[in-house]
Amino acid sequence: MSAVINKAKLQYRRALGIEAGIILVLAFVLFLWKGYVSISFLAGGCASFVPHSIFVYWVFFRNSTKDRTKMTAFYCGEGIKWLITILLIVLSFTLIPNLQYLVFFVGYFLALFLNIALPMLLSRKST
């Protein structure tokens, strides 16, 4: 089982790096094209990417003697992910002046899609 978990760790580490790169490159291109609107895109991407990164860390990379099973770590990580997502969305809506909601949710849903698609594509590529 350890070999399977180590393979998943490597795939998620690569997927998170690729996802961060895609979000940053798209935000930079949007900045060059539309300027300040890119802040909304980046905030939306971060509102999805940061909680997912913390979830992956919590499930795969954190060593805790309290979590006896991986399912306990999974459920705790999922709860933390939801809490941080809600917090980041509320902070974005309240603290960013002139937030473009459509662009925010485009970034958010793109990051959600990449959270799902990249690990699947990387696992397909390695088999």
Side-chain angles (χ1 to χ4, degrees):
M1 188 67 165
S2 179
V4 172
I5 291 174
N6 287 335
K7 184 177 178 182
K9 283 182 182 182
L10 179 64
Q11 286 176 346
Y12 272 101
R13 186 176 289 147
R14 288 180 55 210
L16 289 174
I18 292 169
E19 182 176 353
I22 290 171
I23 291 170
L24 290 174
V25 166
L26 288 175
F28 181 70
V29 168
L30 192 59
F31 174 75
L32 293 176
W33 183 44
K34 288 284 188 179
Y36 186 74
V37 173
S38 65
I39 300 293
S40 299
F41 179 83
L42 193 58
C46 286
S48 179
F49 176 74
V50 170
H52 181 68
S53 299
I54 292 171
F55 170 76
V56 169
Y57 166 76
W58 191 272
V59 171
F60 289 114
F61 297 102
R62 189 180 69 91
N63 294 325
S64 174
T65 56
K66 262 168 83 174
D67 293 335
R68 301 284 174 174
T69 66
K70 282 292 180 185
M71 287 309 293
T72 303
F74 179 82
Y75 287 124
C76 288
E78 195 64 34
I80 291 168
K81 180 180 176 179
W82 275 104
L83 182 67
I84 293 171
T85 300
I86 292 167
L87 181 69
L88 288 174
I89 289 174
V90 168
L91 287 174
S92 295
F93 282 16
T94 57
L95 297 178
I96 298 175
N98 301 324
L99 182 73
Q100 301 290 322
Y101 296 107
L102 181 62
V103 178
F104 176 87
F105 282 109
V106 166
Y108 180 79
F109 287 118
L110 176 70
L112 278 181
F113 174 75
L114 292 174
N115 290 344
I116 297 167
L118 285 175
M120 289 189 327
L121 289 173
L122 291 174
S123 68
R124 229 176 205 205
K125 180 182 170 190
S126 65
T127 57

